[in-house]
Amino acid sequence: MSSLAQLPLIKTSLRADQRIAVLVADIQGAPPELLANVNATPDKVTFVDIGSLPEFHAIRYGETTLDNGALKRALVQKAVAAAIQAGVGLPVFDFIALINWLHQSLCQRPYYGFI
């Protein structure tokens, strides 16, 4: 499952002048044609390459040493979910949001209190 599956839902919540930023680990694996598979268009989506960050190198190439602090600082500069939301006050739909959405649909809990 790809986070891109959320694009149609996200697109419906945007104003006409707004765009969606998608962070990708491999910019070569994100051609504009990929958007057609999820009913999105390049005029609404901007891919942001994080795979070229030196701090991301260990993850991308399976190295055994990762400087997690340096990676976090680099991603915050590129904008990760919590940093984006804190900085611009907009919704963030990442892979964790997708997992939570799917999990919640499979593991419903009874509602208590005020609805």
Side-chain angles (χ1 to χ4, degrees):
M1 174 80 39
S2 169
S3 294
L4 296 179
Q6 300 174 96
L7 287 178
L9 172 68
I10 298 166
K11 193 168 68 169
T12 63
S13 67
L14 297 178
R15 293 187 320 257
D17 63 328
Q18 291 180 308
R19 296 178 54 81
I20 302 166
V22 177
L23 306 182
V24 295
D26 180 8
I27 197 71
Q28 300 303 318
E33 300 81 35
L34 178 66
L35 297 175
N37 294 333
V38 291
N39 196 26
T41 55
D43 64 311
K44 283 290 189 189
V45 177
T46 300
F47 288 111
V48 179
D49 181 20
I50 62 168
S52 63
L53 293 172
E55 298 84 357
F56 198 79
H57 194 268
I59 293 172
R60 186 166 183 194
Y61 298 107
E63 296 175 358
T64 57
T65 304
L66 170 68
D67 184 342
N68 198 47
L71 178 60
K72 182 178 178 181
R73 286 187 297 277
L75 290 175
V76 165
Q77 289 176 350
K78 281 286 187 179
V80 292
I84 293 170
Q85 200 161 59
V88 298
L90 294 172
V92 174
F93 299 89
D94 61 359
F95 193 66
I96 302 302
L98 178 61
I99 291 169
N100 288 339
W101 180 66
L102 291 171
H103 179 262
Q104 195 169 16
S105 72
L106 296 170
C107 303
Q108 289 290 326
R109 290 186 244 170
Y111 298 105
Y112 299 100
F114 183 75
I115 296 181

